[in-house]
Amino acid sequence: MQPLDEGMLLVRAELCERFATLQGSVARCRSRDVDAQAEAIRMLASAYGLTPVARLAEALARASRDTGACPPSLYLARLKDAIGCERLDEEASQAMLASVSVRLCG
């Protein structure tokens, strides 16, 4: 395993830990905590070029602040998928965000 791969595994492990905390806040309906935790995930993901994770965390944070928006819980499964996703491009981000929209309308 390359050192870069090991480093990315550590970043993804940290994101998984933060995701677990975020998931608990969503379950308890603590929008201020959800916003702060999603923002922390977004910042870490952005720093390491994990675009799909950053975009989903940003959308989740926005949803937690807007009471008329998509429920934050709809973003959780896609955010978890994004943390493990090998693709780091904007198209992957858009596909994952679109899947949240489909679930909302479906």
Side-chain angles (χ1 to χ4, degrees):
M1 183 176 290
Q2 303 291 346
L4 181 61
D5 293 339
E6 290 175 14
M8 191 55 77
L9 285 176
L10 291 173
V11 171
R12 289 181 192 268
E14 175 65 24
L15 287 167
C16 285
E17 288 179 23
R18 291 181 186 203
F19 174 81
T21 302
L22 172 67
Q23 198 170 22
S25 292
V26 169
R28 290 186 298 281
C29 298
R30 294 184 175 161
S31 62
R32 188 178 322 173
D33 291 344
V34 170
D35 184 25
Q37 291 164 2
E39 180 60 15
I41 289 172
R42 186 199 65 75
M43 290 174 57
L44 179 61
S46 292
Y48 287 92
L50 298 169
T51 303
V53 178
R55 297 286 182 264
L56 281 157
E58 179 180 39
L60 192 153
R62 208 172 28 250
S64 74
R65 292 188 300 266
D66 183 1
T67 55
C70 180
S73 60
L74 291 180
Y75 289 94
L76 291 176
R78 294 296 71 82
L79 183 58
K80 185 176 182 181
D81 291 343
I83 291 170
C85 185
E86 293 297 318
R87 288 189 53 193
L88 305 177
D89 55 67
E90 188 60 37
E91 285 121 12
S93 304
Q94 292 306 313
M96 289 183 181
L97 287 167
S99 74
V100 172
S101 179
V102 167
R103 288 177 62 202
L104 178 63
C105 296

